[in-house]
Amino acid sequence: MGIFGKRKSREEKAAEIAGKVESGKGFYGRTTRAFLGADDFAKVQQSIGAYNSGLDVQQLLAAGAPTTPAAVVSISDTGKLVNFDPVVDLVLQLPAAADRITLQTIVSKLRIPRAGDQVLLVADPARPGGYLYAGDGMTP
């Protein structure tokens, strides 16, 4: 502990800055919004949101949250990358439901699902009735 309190790690500082950029508040958020413009700033917000949902899924799986299997109906590329992994639009079919689910999520470039593949979903605690993509269950 230093004179001015506990020092933050680089990861904590980066997460704080990303949160400010995503919300559009603070120095970093306002500056990013001013330089990028509305359309590009919205894309940045979506990418940060997709990255954060991936972190949420990892925490939920580590806590033992139940997963739900779903079949991939279709997949389309959005043209965005987060850490060199593609952000895709997935249309999924749950086994017991008649309605299809559409998710925009990051997938591993090494394990991109195809139509007909089985993937896992986790219930989204922030949106009741919503789901988060949890991968195919084969990768750690």
Side-chain angles (χ1 to χ4, degrees):
M1 185 164 146
I3 297 172
F4 300 109
K6 183 179 179 253
R7 296 182 70 182
K8 294 181 183 178
S9 68
R10 287 182 182 218
E11 291 81 16
E12 290 171 333
K13 288 178 188 177
E16 184 179 328
I17 290 170
K20 289 179 182 177
V21 169
E22 182 183 19
S23 67
K25 297 180 179 174
F27 174 76
Y28 293 106
R30 289 191 305 267
T31 306
T32 304
R33 186 183 328 168
F35 282 114
L36 291 181
D39 292 338
D40 291 333
F41 185 69
K43 291 177 184 177
V44 168
Q45 286 179 313
Q46 288 176 345
S47 296
I48 293 173
Y51 177 76
N52 287 338
S53 72
L55 293 177
D56 293 342
V57 167
Q58 289 177 356
Q59 291 173 348
L60 288 170
L61 291 175
T67 59
T68 305
V72 177
V73 176
S74 68
I75 183 169
S76 60
D77 188 19
T78 61
K80 294 184 264 184
L81 297 174
V82 175
N83 289 340
F84 301 107
D85 286 330
V87 178
V88 298
D89 289 322
L90 286 174
V91 178
L92 304 167
Q93 179 72 45
L94 292 173
D99 294 334
R100 293 180 174 172
I101 298 170
T102 303
L103 296 175
Q104 188 175 73
T105 186
I106 299 172
V107 295
S108 170
K109 64 183 170 193
L110 301 175
R111 305 280 303 175
I112 297 175
R114 294 188 174 128
D117 287 352
Q118 290 288 326
V119 296
L120 299 176
L121 303 176
V122 175
D124 187 357
R127 294 181 305 130
Y131 292 97
L132 297 171
Y133 176 74
D136 58 6
M138 301 292 182
T139 56

